[in-house]
Amino acid sequence: MAELDTLDVIVLAAILLGTVAYFTKGKYWAVTKDPYASSLASANGAKAGKTRNIIEKMDESGKNCIIFYGSQTGTAEDYASRLAKEGKSRFGLETMVADLEDYDYDNLDAIPNDKVVMFVLATYGEGEPTDNAVDFYEFITGESPTFSLDNDPPLGNLNYVAFGLGNNTYEHYNSMVRNVNKALQNLGAHRIGEAGEGDDGAGTMEEDFLAWKEPMWKALAEKMGLEEREAVYEPIFGITEREGLTREAPEVYVGEPNKMHLDGTPKGPFNAHNPYIAPIEKSYELFNVKDRNCLHMEIDVSGSNLTYQTGDHIAVWPTNAGEEVDRFLDIFGLTEKRHNVISVKALEPTAKVPFPTPTTYDAIARYHMEICAPISRQFLATLAAFAPDEESKAEMTKLGSDKDYFHSKVNAHYLNIARLLATVSKGKKWINVPFSALIEGITKLQPRYYSISSSSLEQPKKISITAVVESQNLPGRGDPFRGVATNYLLALKEKQNGDPNPSPFGLSYEIMGPRNRYDGIHVPVHVRHSNFKLPSDPTKPVVMVGPGTGVAPFRGFVRERKKMVENGQAVGKTILFFGCRKATEDFLYEKEWEEAKQVLGDKFELVLAFSRQGPKKVYVQHRLKERAKEINELLQQKAYFYVCGDAANMAREVNAVLAQILSAERGIPEDKAEEIVKQMRQGNQYQEDVWS
């Protein structure tokens, strides 16, 4: 074989390099910039190219007011955005909204006193910070946080405002804002106005926020020498029609959450920024009654990095019903343009576009906006300026300013934005509303969280959920109010079980997902870890109280202990108090409890309460009282006590009944018994997984 001379080698090398370059273009070089890179970065835990120094960020963007939020479901983030917008439009403040996890906190002491910091903080679970606020909370409430300067007191220069989002059905009501407020004051910071508290448990969150912010703005204007001006709508987002693009173009998002999903190559870590499109292995109906539905679904996560522990939550990313999407697009005169491609750009350097672009009006309404959510009174006042006629404008102004009138006309009927506007204008289209105002005023479609009803010991890669399909008949409303996520899941269940075009209650869904990527019955999910856990010592007794779908995590607990016994482990006494309406209608997992009894023997006991089966209603709290002696004895053996379900009524009553049991059985005053229950909570011996 002839030897290659130098020229041959150079030519071959050039050909090789050219070939490699050709096949790697767009992958390793000449990569098209992702217009929604922040989502991808978040999905992988990276914040590339962003400063974590809040002083630098405020200086480079010319801001004098920063609103930090700690948010789990998006409400606190929404309130932060509303404060930013109002501060700018009414008082000329240069505002920015900031996620607490995006910045460091050691230079809070260096923020000049002619600037203001606002904290909008939700309390999650049993008094815990939201996921994005954990580091901040631990820093600011730590024993001696270290700051960048040598000020005395450390935060003597800091002017701040605080509002909390809580739920009075939890013991640690609004503890996040209370503890942060106390820590900031101990460090010498100056609070402007009162520290506000919103109460989701009483259903007054929105009105609490509105009532708090007016005196706050007055105090802030006085402190900073601000002059109020007539608020004029200034868009935060610019909308550009992309005439050269169609929705079939590969770079157009039609519902995908980020670039990896758009490319069809999603990879982990899968989390709150990056869902896993999980196959539903099986699904079936649990109720034996015509007018109510309860679903059991088993979701396969074996193709992902997702793991869970018994007692955790799974988040389901829903899509809006087609009929509601149609209604929304119709009232704003967008039906003909629904598939037009648009780009959305932040006109303000610190604002974030809440979904990837370029995209379509249909995709935004279907996959990214809470178009079925309750409406804020403040948002209605904003929309009044764009009303189609003077009569509608007057009605919107009244709805925006009169809380009792607003409640009677809007809240009482669970009206969403499209339904309300159609009612107000008697069907006239609201074509003057800028689409940017809708992006700003309607919250982002949020995942829904469900208690996992399977055991990770028994099936580590299969997650079960148990969900009642939400449907409420309301006075003065023609059709029932239907939950967004559970009706979507019902359609998936019907499709899986043989219906080619499911439309439960007349609602249809894009079951195949964007670009048919959910084909084969898939649902986007991620896992949220919880502190609701069985004792680490399996021989400890457990008492579980879970009526209705509150039994979900306890199905997981019982299956866990059943599996332990099958593996040769010893377990403690396991008592489950379960309640439903009738044994023949909604007795969840009846056969499974019998199977558990076969394995666990006298270590497992099911105590039943049927509320509509006999002459009088019997609830789980009644059954608890009947077993007072045994409950007290188990607690003296350090049994763990668990409650799951409705927070406002059942959980509160169970808490009270337990104190009454301890008082009667131990012969102590009730206030002393209440203190024991409180100590049980603090020691994690009493755990709740409840919802309002």
Side-chain angles (χ1 to χ4, degrees):
M1 182 175 168
E3 288 187 15
L4 296 173
D5 62 23
T6 308
L7 183 60
D8 291 334
V9 171
I10 291 169
V11 171
L12 284 171
I15 292 168
L16 178 63
L17 280 171
T19 305
V20 170
Y22 178 81
F23 284 110
T24 59
K25 182 179 179 182
K27 189 172 182 182
Y28 297 113
W29 70 284
V31 181
T32 306
K33 189 176 186 301
D34 177 17
Y36 198 55
S38 59
S39 167
L40 185 58
S42 300
N44 291 291
K47 301 281 178 187
K50 287 187 179 180
T51 178
R52 292 189 60 83
N53 184 319
I54 194 59
I55 309 289
E56 278 180 14
K57 187 68 177 176
M58 291 178 85
D59 287 347
E60 73 185 29
S61 54
K63 302 301 180 188
N64 59 4
C65 173
I66 181 165
I67 302 107
F68 283 116
Y69 64 86
S71 190
Q72 196 73 31
T73 62
T75 310
E77 183 179 359
D78 176 47
Y79 284 172
S81 298
R82 285 163 60 180
L83 287 173
K85 193 163 179 54
E86 192 172 355
K88 169 88 170 165
S89 64
R90 279 178 66 182
F91 299 97
L93 279 168
E94 292 300 330
T95 56
M96 69 173 279
V97 175
D99 187 328
L100 273 167
E101 70 181 356
D102 286 354
Y103 294 95
D104 299 322
Y105 326 110
D106 58 350
N107 57 3
L108 283 174
D109 59 338
I111 294 178
N113 61 11
D114 62 346
K115 293 178 167 57
V116 65
V117 176
M118 299 186 180
F119 295 96
V120 182
L121 305 168
T123 299
Y124 167 55
E126 288 298 323
E128 299 149 38
T130 56
D131 292 347
N132 74 318
V134 171
D135 290 345
F136 166 72
Y137 184 72
E138 289 176 353
F139 173 83
I140 208 73
T141 59
E143 221 166 280
S144 50
T146 305
F147 292 98
S148 62
L149 304 176
D150 201 19
N151 294 343
D152 186 23
L155 296 182
N157 265 359
L158 185 70
N159 291 314
Y160 77 96
V161 165
F163 182 78
L165 294 80
N167 186 318
N168 73 11
T169 57
Y170 287 88
E171 184 189 359
H172 302 284
Y173 171 62
N174 257 312
S175 65
M176 188 61 183
V177 75
R178 292 178 182 182
N179 294 345
V180 167
N181 180 52
K182 185 178 173 185
L184 290 169
Q185 299 220 302
N186 288 343
L187 292 163
H190 306 284
R191 191 185 70 235
I192 297 167
E194 294 299 314
E197 295 186 354
D199 186 3
D200 196 37
T204 58
M205 181 74 77
E206 176 70 15
E207 291 302 334
D208 294 337
F209 174 70
L210 296 179
W212 162 80
K213 73 180 178 63
E214 282 313 311
M216 180 278 291
W217 284 128
K218 188 177 177 185
L220 183 63
E222 200 173 299
K223 172 80 175 173
M224 296 184 70
L226 304 173
E227 284 190 27
E228 186 168 359
R229 60 192 190 181
E230 187 181 347
V232 177
Y233 174 71
E234 296 176 48
I236 293 173
F237 301 107
I239 315 294
T240 308
E241 296 264 355
R242 301 290 299 274
E243 290 179 9
L245 281 178
T246 67
R247 62 177 171 147
E248 287 79 24
E251 67 268 40
V252 174
Y253 291 85
V254 290
E256 298 87 354
N258 60 43
K259 184 76 163 66
M260 290 186 295
H261 287 264
L262 182 69
D263 292 342
T265 55
K267 51 184 179 289
F270 296 105
N271 52 33
H273 304 287
N274 185 39
Y276 173 59
I277 311 302
I280 298 172
E281 188 172 283
K282 65 178 173 181
S283 54
Y284 52 85
E285 178 63 56
L286 289 166
F287 283 174
N288 188 29
V289 59
K290 277 185 180 176
D291 59 342
R292 295 163 65 221
N293 296 88
C294 185
L295 309 176
H296 176 88
M297 283 191 158
E298 298 197 356
I299 296 164
D300 183 358
V301 295
S302 59
S304 73
N305 66 306
L306 292 175
T307 60
Y308 78 100
Q309 296 298 315
T310 308
D312 282 345
H313 300 131
I314 186 169
V316 170
W317 295 45
T319 70
N320 286 310
E323 287 66 21
E324 293 296 348
V325 174
D326 293 345
R327 193 192 311 273
F328 178 84
L329 295 173
D330 178 62
I331 197 66
F332 295 111
L334 293 170
T335 302
E336 298 301 315
K337 299 168 68 175
R338 69 189 307 153
H339 297 308
N340 287 14
V341 177
I342 58 170
S343 283
V344 182
K345 182 184 177 185
L347 302 176
E348 201 279 311
T350 61
K352 288 182 189 170
V353 180
F355 43 77
T357 84
T359 184
T360 67
Y361 293 109
D362 185 282
I364 294 167
R366 194 176 298 277
Y367 294 103
H368 299 298
M369 277 185 175
E370 288 280 10
I371 61 171
C372 296
I375 316 154
S376 79
R377 203 156 52 82
Q378 190 177 349
F379 183 43
L380 293 192
T382 303
L383 292 183
F386 307 108
D389 54 45
E390 287 302 315
E391 190 183 341
S392 301
K393 184 176 182 178
E395 177 71 356
M396 290 291 276
T397 303
K398 186 176 182 183
L399 286 167
S401 58
D402 185 332
K403 73 174 183 181
D404 294 330
Y405 186 67
F406 173 82
H407 179 76
S408 67
K409 292 286 185 181
V410 182
N411 280 2
H413 308 301
Y414 284 45
L415 292 183
N416 60 37
I417 187 67
R419 287 170 182 257
L420 174 71
L421 294 183
T423 302
V424 167
S425 68
K426 300 179 175 62
K428 279 187 189 171
K429 304 288 188 276
W430 291 64
I431 58 174
N432 297 323
V433 178
F435 196 69
S436 55
L438 301 179
I439 297 171
E440 294 156 27
I442 298 172
T443 54
K444 187 176 177 181
L445 188 60
Q446 295 292 332
R448 273 49 172 181
Y449 292 93
Y450 298 93
S451 301
I452 291 174
S453 58
S454 51
S455 156
S456 57
L457 182 66
E458 182 184 41
Q459 45 184 66
K461 284 296 180 179
K462 207 185 295 175
I463 294 175
S464 295
I465 59 174
T466 307
V468 163
V469 178
E470 191 180 359
S471 177
Q472 289 183 50
N473 286 302
L474 299 164
R477 179 177 163 132
D479 59 336
F481 170 79
R482 303 200 185 279
V484 173
T486 52
N487 282 278
Y488 167 56
L489 292 176
L490 177 57
L492 284 166
K493 191 271 291 187
E494 290 185 357
K495 172 88 171 176
Q496 184 165 51
N497 288 277
D499 187 339
N501 298 298
S503 56
F505 310 111
L507 300 177
S508 64
Y509 297 84
E510 290 283 357
I511 284 176
M512 304 293 274
R515 290 183 167 87
N516 295 336
R517 297 255 168 82
Y518 302 179
D519 188 14
I521 319 299
H522 288 68
V523 66
V525 299
H526 71 270
V527 170
R528 182 172 74 186
H529 297 296
S530 158
N531 293 323
F532 194 75
K533 294 284 178 280
L534 279 166
S536 53
D537 177 358
T539 63
K540 282 260 185 0
V542 296
V543 178
M544 302 167 289
V545 183
T549 54
V551 82
F554 303 136
R555 175 184 184 264
F557 282 11
V558 171
R559 293 188 77 90
E560 181 108 339
R561 288 204 153 180
K562 174 173 168 275
K563 186 67 177 172
M564 285 176 172
V565 168
E566 287 169 348
N567 290 347
Q569 281 182 274
V571 300
K573 182 78 177 179
T574 307
I575 301 182
L576 170 60
F577 288 82
F578 171 71
C580 62
R581 293 183 184 181
K582 294 181 179 177
T584 53
E585 288 185 2
D586 51 1
F587 188 169
L588 301 181
Y589 302 115
E590 182 178 4
K591 286 189 178 132
E592 288 193 23
W593 307 128
E594 292 169 14
E595 290 164 9
K597 183 75 177 169
Q598 296 299 315
V599 176
L600 292 165
D602 61 2
K603 293 294 184 183
F604 175 60
E605 187 175 356
L606 180 66
V607 182
L608 297 167
F610 298 113
S611 64
R612 301 193 185 179
Q613 200 154 291
K616 61 178 184 176
K617 292 186 175 181
V618 179
Y619 295 114
V620 285
Q621 47 269 44
H622 300 139
R623 295 295 189 221
L624 271 173
K625 267 191 172 174
E626 292 169 6
R627 307 291 287 267
K629 185 173 185 296
E630 186 180 2
I631 296 294
N632 179 53
E633 287 172 357
L634 287 169
L635 291 178
Q636 285 174 326
Q637 296 166 34
K638 300 296 179 198
Y640 277 57
F641 192 88
Y642 300 89
V643 183
C644 181
D646 162 45
N649 301 302
M650 181 277 298
R652 191 172 269 181
E653 286 179 32
V654 166
N655 186 88
V657 164
L658 189 61
Q660 291 162 17
I661 287 171
L662 295 181
S663 171
E665 293 297 315
R666 298 182 187 183
I668 56 175
E670 201 156 309
D671 60 347
K672 174 67 176 165
E674 286 168 1
E675 187 57 36
I676 291 171
V677 173
K678 194 172 181 179
Q679 287 167 2
M680 285 172 61
R681 285 176 175 273
Q682 289 166 351
N684 240 18
Q685 193 187 346
Y686 186 125
Q687 296 181 31
E688 285 185 325
D689 181 0
V690 295
W691 54 84
S692 54

